[in-house]
Amino acid sequence: MTTYLLAGGGTAGHVNPLLAVADGLRARDAASDVLVLGTREGLESRLVPLRGYELLTIAKVPFPRRPDRAAAVFPARFLRAVADVRRMIRQRGVDAVVGFGGYAAAPAYIAARRERVPFVVHEANAKPGLANVLGARTAAGVGVAFAGTPLRGAREVGMPLRREVVELDAPALRAEAAAHFGLDADRPTLLVFGGSLGALRLNTAFEGAWRDILDAGWQLLHVTGQTSDLADPGAEGYAVVRYVDRMDLAFALADLVVSRSGAATVSEINALGIPAVYVPYAVGNGEQSLNAAASVRAGAALLIPDAEFTPDRVRAEVVPLLADDARRTAMRDAAARTGIRTGTENVIAMIDEALAR
């Protein structure tokens, strides 16, 4: 029996690919022991047990950004976290460690190296996090979701994706999807979403431009976010929903997407071959723009900066695209060429290679 320790968490961007790989390992060999390492504060504290995996936790030890009291106590706290992971590796007989970034990843990489256990790094974003930059230096394998991600020894393996996305048969589900959202399966559909919390910039732009979408002969599925107070005008062909728990149905209905460009979002849209217009979230270190860059270069997507995304910009760039069948077909073909549906299998193959050395 092989025992795997999957380390990462904090955000959905770390937890979801981790869980996809965990599911892939368990599906391949039910006798394997798949453990997850995270913190009590991260999203993994809720999602990992819900998926049926054992969660081992260590203290959350952020890398210090300024010379303050936290920086003074950081070395001792970090070494304590590393020691905790080393003890877990020995006690549980861990054969391989797989890290996905986040607070738990860096201690796991160092602990694995000191225990002489092979470890593999997966980076979801085009701009890598500090933990994975450090881990990649001595990892047995480094996989990235996007080509050109600056990590030592990186191999493009794609994003480990949810099974409902990987296995999605959009034509077969289109009628069910249309009925689910109260739309027409025979009309082209623009899907707009900004994540579970929505995106105020997208909501405001389409609040002022939804009529133009309908006038172009399209219908609009607009996922506004759980906290949005955007009014539903009740217009035929315009479905306003706060939250979607069946994104597979939303994707099955989508002929064009306007969305943020988180790593998972871009990976899923490309894997499904859907043309897109990305409006990168402007806060952070610019990773969303970088995540979308390869799709834009390939011709699979357009990018409009957040500050410029207005109703007028929707009318100037999105509405003409609705009428240009040839351009959307070319974008769809480019997305299909860019997308990778085998990210989970590719990461597992890296793990197997590391164990075989």
Side-chain angles (χ1 to χ4, degrees):
M1 181 184 77
T2 305
T3 299
Y4 304 94
L5 180 65
L6 277 52
T11 66
H14 295 134
V15 178
N16 288 337
L18 182 155
L19 288 174
V21 172
D23 289 347
L25 290 168
R26 184 164 61 180
R28 185 179 69 166
D29 182 5
S32 294
D33 195 8
V34 181
L35 308 170
V36 178
L37 178 72
T39 68
R40 295 179 183 88
E41 297 86 358
L43 192 61
E44 65 273 16
S45 64
R46 180 173 61 87
L47 295 184
V48 169
L50 281 176
R51 193 70 72 90
Y53 296 103
E54 182 180 356
L55 177 67
L56 309 177
T57 60
I58 57 174
K60 177 180 175 180
V61 188
F63 287 100
R65 302 294 182 181
R66 58 181 63 88
D68 54 13
R69 184 179 181 279
V73 300
F74 171 78
R77 295 186 65 209
F78 186 79
L79 290 175
R80 191 176 306 120
V82 172
D84 289 341
V85 183
R86 293 186 69 180
R87 184 173 61 254
M88 294 171 188
I89 289 173
R90 291 193 298 267
Q91 290 177 347
R92 304 303 292 266
V94 171
D95 297 293
V97 170
V98 189
F100 296 84
Y103 293 115
Y109 297 146
I110 294 175
R113 186 172 71 244
R114 292 181 178 177
E115 292 296 319
R116 300 183 182 277
V117 170
F119 68 92
V120 167
V121 171
H122 182 270
E123 175 57 58
N125 285 295
K127 186 171 185 177
L130 180 57
N132 282 350
V133 170
L134 296 174
R137 295 174 180 174
T138 54
V142 179
V144 296
F146 300 107
T149 301
L151 280 180
R152 181 179 298 179
R155 179 197 314 177
E156 184 185 5
V157 297
M159 179 78 76
L161 300 173
R162 298 173 287 175
R163 297 309 305 175
E164 59 265 32
V165 170
V166 173
E167 298 170 357
L168 181 66
D169 184 343
L173 278 179
R174 189 173 180 91
E176 178 187 347
H180 182 82
F181 295 110
L183 296 171
D184 185 349
D186 294 326
R187 291 179 62 190
T189 303
L190 173 64
L191 169 63
V192 176
F193 67 98
S196 61
L197 297 179
L200 181 60
R201 184 75 67 178
L202 271 62
N203 290 346
T204 302
F206 281 95
E207 183 180 26
W210 64 267
R211 290 181 182 84
D212 300 274
I213 305 301
L214 271 58
D215 289 345
W218 281 54
Q219 55 193 357
L220 176 59
L221 173 54
H222 187 175
V223 185
T224 63
Q226 293 172 302
T227 61
S228 171
D229 57 1
L230 183 72
D232 183 351
E236 183 181 356
Y238 182 21
V240 179
V241 295
R242 299 283 179 255
Y243 177 76
V244 173
D245 57 5
R246 288 291 306 274
M247 277 303 294
D248 58 325
L249 294 181
F251 282 138
L253 195 58
D255 298 290
L256 177 69
V257 169
V258 176
S259 72
R260 292 302 199 193
S261 50
T265 296
V266 173
S267 297
E268 290 181 348
I269 289 171
N270 280 341
L272 296 173
I274 305 173
V277 176
Y278 292 121
V279 185
Y281 189 43
V283 176
N285 57 12
E287 68 270 14
Q288 286 212 355
S289 292
L290 294 172
N291 291 342
S295 298
V296 173
R297 286 196 301 270
L302 305 179
L303 188 148
I304 301 177
D306 181 82
E308 300 175 18
F309 197 72
T310 63
D312 284 342
R313 196 68 181 268
V314 172
R315 285 186 279 268
E317 293 204 39
V318 178
V319 172
L321 187 57
L322 305 181
D324 195 337
D325 294 344
R327 187 180 185 191
R328 289 198 322 279
T329 297
M331 293 173 70
R332 185 179 304 112
D333 293 343
R337 290 193 301 270
T338 304
I340 299 174
R341 289 201 184 196
T342 57
T344 296
E345 293 80 1
N346 294 343
V347 172
I348 291 175
M350 290 181 58
I351 301 169
D352 291 341
E353 292 172 12
L355 285 169
R357 291 175 184 169

